[in-house]
Structure formats: C-alpha cells, structure tokens
Amino acid sequence: MSAPVFLADGGTLGALSAGDLYVLDGAEGRHAGVVQRRGPGERLDVVDGAGTRLRCVVDAVEGGEVRLRVDEVVAEPAPAVVLTLVQALAKGDRDELAVEAAVEVGVDAVVPWQADRSVVVWRGQRAAKSHAKWVATVRSAVKQARRACLPPVTEPVTTRQLAARVREVVAAGGGAVVLHEDATTPLAGVTLPAPSSDPSALLVVVGPEGGISDAEVAALEEAGAVTARLGPHVLRTSTAGPVAVALLSERLGRWA
C-alpha cells in the first residue's frame, strides 16, 4: 500500500536531501500525530504541491509535531500538456463532486465558471466562502490520490472572460474542448495539443445542469474552442468532467 500523503506549505522541500530531518507541524502535523496517531517507524510522504515528494519514516512524535527522517526526495516532472477543468457552478454539491473526482484522476488546474444557466451565483462573501470550499476540496483530493502537485483553483470567470482565456490558450498552441450533447465529434477524435518543452494548455469546459446555452457555445467556438461529445448518453455535470479528464489523460499517455 502506498504511504499516506501530507501537504507542506511553502514549496521548500526541494532543498532537502536523503538523510535529513524534517518536522511536519501545523494542521498537517496535528492530523498525522494526533488524529491518525502515526508512530515511529511508519512511512509517510510529504509533498509541497509543486511536484516535490519526500519519502519519509517517522522518527518521533511530540503532540502536533512529527519528526521525519527523509529517505528519498523525488521531483515529479511537470505535465507536457496542462489539463484544466472549467467547471460551471452547479446547485447542491455537484460542482464540488466534479472537482473532487477530476483532481483524483489527474486534472492540473480548475476554473470555476459562472455560466448563463448556473443556478448558483457566487457573489460577495458567498463567493469567497465557495471558492475556499473548492480549494479545500482540491487539497483533500490531492491527499486521497497521493499526488505531489496541487492544482490551483482560479477565481470564477464569466463567459466573456472564459472566451478571452480560450482565445489566449489557442493562440499559444493549446486547445479548448466544450463538452456538448449535440456535438458530432467524439472526444476521442479531438486533436490534442502536441507535447513540448514549453507546456501547452488544454481546457475542458463543462456546463451546468441546464446545459450550455447556444450563445455560450457560439462565443467559445468563435474564440477557438471545439465541441465534442463523450458518448451516447447525457452525463450529469458532476460526472462529465471527471470522465473527460480520465479519457484525455489516457490519450495524453499519462496512464501508460
């Protein structure tokens, strides 16, 4: 079984070497030492969210501080194509479920989208609270999936802002795919950005429960996006994104 993962803030793990001592403290230290009761000799990983992983053995535990002996420092490579989920805001917890599962299957970034037909609206204090909840969901999913990279969650975008981002990504050699039930091209037939030393972006756009409006599809296509379908069935907004991310991850060779 793989070792449990704990997140270290600050991105400073790359300066460590095998044989060094590292102290896991703060909320993560309390979770490891007090909640999970990790003890000497147990193995665990500490990641910085930027691709560095410490493979460690617990040396000692003192309350909310866990002293670790570093066995190995692993620098995981950045993706050649940055896979980004653009998830429309949805009622209930369906958007959060989509984000959670997409992170577990390997998405690299998350963009909340205030679509025309989104029942939920992020404004004022609710916007800040909802954004923080998405960030917490991503952190939890990263630890669950034992990932070393923490996908960022951007501020929510409007359709106009999303179209501008699509135009920018496409101009830089990336791509954007809008999942749509009326599309004739299957996701498997969409041309993907070519991997290169300078990572390109691939946006996957998922609408809310009521679907993406014709005006939104037109605006995104005019910006350079293509529409694609997942299959013969219509998936919920909580399901479509993670399924698409999984299929694209396979096509990009991540699961080889």
Side-chain angles (χ1 to χ4, degrees):
M1 179 180 294
S2 59
V5 161
F6 295 87
L7 270 166
D9 295 323
T12 59
L13 302 185
L16 295 170
S17 303
D20 287 346
L21 285 175
Y22 177 80
V23 177
L24 183 66
D25 54 13
E28 292 290 81
R30 288 191 297 274
H31 189 67
V34 178
V35 179
Q36 294 191 358
R37 297 181 181 276
R38 300 289 172 181
E42 291 191 67
R43 293 192 170 275
L44 58 82
D45 289 356
V46 179
V47 301
D48 63 0
T52 300
R53 180 189 302 271
L54 303 183
R55 300 193 186 278
C56 305
V57 175
V58 177
D59 186 61
V61 179
E62 296 179 2
E65 289 190 350
V66 181
R67 190 165 71 241
L68 305 169
R69 177 74 63 180
V70 179
D71 273 355
E72 183 182 11
V73 181
V74 180
E76 300 186 2
V81 176
V82 177
L83 192 53
T84 299
L85 173 64
V86 180
Q87 175 63 50
L89 306 184
K91 63 184 180 181
D93 60 354
R94 289 177 180 168
D95 47 13
E96 291 171 31
L97 289 172
V99 170
E100 179 181 50
V103 171
E104 289 179 3
V105 298
V107 82
D108 301 308
V110 176
V111 177
W113 174 32
Q114 188 73 65
D116 289 347
R117 294 174 179 168
S118 290
V119 176
V120 174
V121 178
W122 284 11
R123 289 198 187 100
Q125 291 185 345
R126 178 173 186 173
K129 183 177 179 180
S130 297
H131 183 269
K133 198 170 182 181
W134 279 37
V135 170
T137 296
V138 168
R139 287 179 63 91
S140 178
V142 162
K143 293 165 67 174
Q144 169 64 35
R146 313 289 203 261
R147 293 183 60 177
C149 290
L150 181 69
V153 181
T154 73
E155 294 300 318
V157 297
T158 64
T159 299
R160 178 177 294 182
Q161 291 169 326
L162 176 57
R165 178 159 182 174
V166 167
R167 189 173 287 108
E168 180 182 326
V169 165
V170 172
V177 182
V178 179
L179 302 183
H180 198 279
E181 60 186 286
D182 293 333
T184 57
T185 302
L187 188 60
V190 171
T191 300
L192 303 182
S196 65
S197 56
D198 186 14
S200 54
L202 178 58
L203 308 180
V204 181
V205 182
V206 180
E209 302 96 320
I212 301 174
S213 70
D214 292 342
E216 288 173 323
V217 172
L220 295 175
E221 286 185 323
E222 190 278 330
V226 298
T227 58
R229 58 180 172 81
L230 282 175
H233 309 298
V234 178
L235 302 182
R236 288 184 181 274
T237 188
S238 58
T239 310
V243 170
V245 170
L247 292 173
L248 290 170
S249 294
E250 174 65 23
R251 288 191 60 194
L252 291 169
R254 297 185 175 194
W255 291 6

